[in-house]
Coordinates of all heavy atoms in Angstrom, one line a residue:
W166 N 275.6 16.4 27.3 CA 276.3 17.3 26.4 C 276.1 16.9 24.9 O 275.6 15.8 24.7 CB 277.8 17.4 26.7 CG 278.6 16.2 26.5 CD1 279.3 15.8 25.4 CD2 278.7 15.0 27.4 NE1 279.9 14.6 25.6 CE2 279.5 14.1 26.8 CE3 278.2 14.8 28.7 CZ2 279.8 12.9 27.4 CZ3 278.5 13.5 29.3 CH2 279.3 12.6 28.6
R167 N 276.4 17.8 24.0 CA 276.2 17.5 22.6 C 277.5 16.9 22.0 O 278.6 17.4 22.2 CB 275.9 18.8 21.8 CG 275.4 18.5 20.4 CD 275.2 19.7 19.6 NE 274.0 20.4 19.8 CZ 272.9 20.2 19.1 NH1 272.8 19.2 18.2 NH2 271.8 20.9 19.3
G168 N 277.3 15.8 21.2 CA 278.4 15.2 20.6 C 278.6 15.8 19.2 O 277.8 16.4 18.6
K169 N 279.8 15.5 18.6 CA 280.1 16.0 17.3 C 279.2 15.4 16.3 O 279.0 15.9 15.2 CB 281.6 15.7 16.9 CG 282.5 16.6 17.7 CD 284.0 16.2 17.3 CE 284.9 17.0 18.3 NZ 286.3 16.5 18.3
N170 N 278.6 14.2 16.6 CA 277.5 13.6 15.7 C 276.2 14.3 15.8 O 275.2 13.8 15.3 CB 277.4 12.1 16.0 CG 277.0 11.8 17.4 OD1 276.6 12.8 18.2 ND2 277.0 10.6 17.8
T171 N 276.2 15.4 16.5 CA 275.0 16.3 16.8 C 274.0 15.7 17.8 O 273.1 16.4 18.2 CB 274.2 16.7 15.5 OG1 273.3 15.6 15.1 CG2 275.0 17.2 14.4
L172 N 274.3 14.5 18.3 CA 273.3 13.9 19.2 C 273.6 14.3 20.6 O 274.7 14.8 21.0 CB 273.4 12.4 19.1 CG 272.9 11.8 17.7 CD1 273.2 10.3 17.6 CD2 271.5 12.1 17.5
L174 N 274.4 13.5 24.3 CA 275.1 12.4 24.9 C 274.7 12.4 26.4 O 275.0 13.4 27.1 CB 276.6 12.5 24.7 CG 277.1 12.5 23.3 CD1 278.6 12.5 23.3 CD2 276.5 11.4 22.4
P180 N 274.9 8.2 23.5 CA 273.8 8.7 22.5 C 272.6 7.8 22.6 O 271.6 8.2 21.9 CB 274.5 8.6 21.2 CG 275.6 7.6 21.3 CD 276.0 7.6 22.8
T205 N 283.4 15.8 27.4 CA 283.2 16.4 26.0 C 283.8 15.4 25.1 O 284.5 14.5 25.4 CB 283.8 17.8 25.8 OG1 285.2 17.6 26.0 CG2 283.3 18.8 26.8
C206 N 283.6 15.7 23.8 CA 284.2 14.8 22.8 C 285.7 14.9 22.7 O 286.4 14.0 22.3 CB 283.7 15.2 21.4 SG 281.9 14.9 21.2
G207 N 286.2 16.1 23.2 CA 287.7 16.2 23.1 C 288.2 16.1 21.7 O 287.5 16.6 20.7
S208 N 289.3 15.4 21.5 CA 289.8 15.3 20.1 C 289.3 14.2 19.3 O 289.7 13.9 18.2 CB 291.4 15.2 20.2 OG 291.6 14.1 21.0
C209 N 288.3 13.4 19.9 CA 287.7 12.2 19.2 C 287.0 12.7 17.9 O 286.4 13.7 17.9 CB 286.7 11.5 20.1 SG 285.8 10.2 19.4
T210 N 287.2 11.9 16.9 CA 286.4 12.2 15.6 C 285.8 10.9 15.0 O 285.5 10.9 13.9 CB 287.3 12.8 14.6 OG1 288.4 12.0 14.3 CG2 287.9 14.2 15.0
R211 N 285.7 9.9 15.9 CA 285.2 8.6 15.4 C 283.9 8.6 14.6 O 283.8 8.0 13.5 CB 285.0 7.6 16.5 CG 286.3 7.2 17.2 CD 286.0 6.0 18.1 NE 286.9 5.9 19.2 CZ 286.8 5.0 20.1 NH1 285.8 4.2 20.2 NH2 287.7 4.9 21.1
C212 N 282.9 9.4 15.1 CA 281.6 9.4 14.4 C 281.8 10.1 13.0 O 281.1 9.7 12.0 CB 280.6 10.1 15.2 SG 281.1 11.8 15.8
L213 N 282.6 11.1 13.0 CA 282.8 11.9 11.7 C 283.5 11.0 10.7 O 283.1 11.0 9.5 CB 283.6 13.1 11.9 CG 283.2 14.0 13.1 CD1 284.1 15.2 13.2 CD2 281.7 14.5 13.0
D214 N 284.4 10.2 11.2 CA 285.2 9.3 10.3 C 284.4 8.1 9.7 O 284.7 7.7 8.6 CB 286.5 8.8 11.0 CG 287.3 10.0 11.5 OD1 287.2 11.1 10.9 OD2 288.1 9.8 12.4
I215 N 283.5 7.6 10.6 CA 282.9 6.3 10.2 C 281.7 6.6 9.2 O 281.3 5.7 8.5 CB 282.3 5.6 11.4 CG1 281.9 4.1 11.1 CG2 281.1 6.3 12.0 CD1 282.9 3.1 11.3
F221 N 278.6 14.8 7.7 CA 278.9 16.0 8.6 C 279.8 17.0 7.9 O 281.0 16.7 7.8 CB 279.7 15.5 9.9 CG 278.9 14.5 10.7 CD1 279.2 13.1 10.6 CD2 277.8 14.9 11.5 CE1 278.4 12.2 11.3 CE2 277.0 14.0 12.2 CZ 277.4 12.6 12.1
P224 N 282.1 19.3 12.4 CA 281.6 18.7 13.6 C 280.4 19.5 14.2 O 280.3 20.7 14.0 CB 282.8 18.9 14.6 CG 284.0 19.1 13.7 CD 283.5 19.7 12.4
Y225 N 279.5 18.8 14.8 CA 278.3 19.3 15.4 C 277.2 19.8 14.3 O 276.3 20.4 14.7 CB 278.5 20.5 16.3 CG 279.5 20.2 17.4 CD1 280.9 20.6 17.3 CD2 279.1 19.5 18.5 CE1 281.8 20.3 18.3 CE2 280.1 19.2 19.5 CZ 281.4 19.6 19.4 OH 282.3 19.3 20.4
L261 N 275.7 3.9 12.8 CA 277.2 3.8 12.8 C 277.8 4.9 13.7 O 278.8 4.7 14.5 CB 277.7 3.9 11.4 CG 277.4 2.7 10.5 CD1 277.9 2.9 9.1 CD2 278.1 1.5 11.1
C262 N 277.2 6.2 13.6 CA 277.9 7.3 14.4 C 277.5 7.2 15.9 O 278.0 8.0 16.7 CB 277.5 8.6 13.8 SG 275.8 9.0 13.8
L263 N 276.7 6.2 16.3 CA 276.4 6.0 17.7 C 277.3 4.8 18.2 O 277.9 4.9 19.3 CB 274.9 5.6 18.0 CG 273.9 6.7 17.7 CD1 273.5 6.9 16.3 CD2 272.6 6.4 18.5
E264 N 277.4 3.8 17.3 CA 278.1 2.6 17.7 C 279.6 2.9 18.0 O 280.1 2.2 18.9 CB 278.0 1.5 16.6 CG 276.6 0.9 16.5 CD 276.4 0.0 15.3 OE1 277.3 0.0 14.4 OE2 275.3 -0.6 15.2
V265 N 280.2 3.8 17.3 CA 281.6 4.0 17.5 C 281.9 4.9 18.7 O 283.0 5.1 19.1 CB 282.3 4.6 16.2 CG1 282.3 3.6 15.1 CG2 281.7 5.9 15.8
C266 N 280.9 5.5 19.2 CA 281.1 6.5 20.3 C 281.6 5.9 21.5 O 281.1 5.0 22.1 CB 279.8 7.3 20.6 SG 280.0 8.6 21.8
P267 N 282.7 6.4 22.0 CA 283.3 5.8 23.3 C 282.4 6.0 24.5 O 282.7 5.3 25.5 CB 284.6 6.6 23.4 CG 284.6 7.8 22.6 CD 283.6 7.5 21.5
F268 N 281.4 6.8 24.4 CA 280.5 6.9 25.5 C 279.3 5.9 25.5 O 278.4 6.0 26.3 CB 279.9 8.4 25.6 CG 281.0 9.4 25.9 CD1 281.5 10.3 25.0 CD2 281.6 9.4 27.2 CE1 282.5 11.2 25.3 CE2 282.6 10.3 27.5 CZ 283.1 11.2 26.5
S269 N 279.4 5.0 24.5 CA 278.3 4.0 24.4 C 278.5 3.0 25.6 O 279.6 2.6 25.9 CB 278.5 3.2 23.1 OG 278.0 3.9 22.1
Ligands
SF4_424 S1 282.2 9.4 18.6 FE1 283.7 10.8 19.6 S2 283.4 12.8 18.5 FE2 281.6 11.5 18.1 S3 280.0 12.0 19.6 FE3 281.2 10.3 20.4 S4 282.9 11.2 21.6 FE4 282.0 12.8 20.3

Side-chain angles (χ1 to χ4, degrees):
W166 63 98
R167 193 189 274 274
K169 287 179 188 165
N170 58 10
T171 78
L172 294 171
L174 304 186
T205 61
C206 292
S208 57
C209 175
T210 56
R211 289 191 204 179
C212 54
L213 312 179
D214 302 337
I215 193 95
F221 300 103
Y225 305 102
L261 291 174
C262 60
L263 292 79
E264 287 171 354
V265 295
C266 183
F268 293 108
S269 284

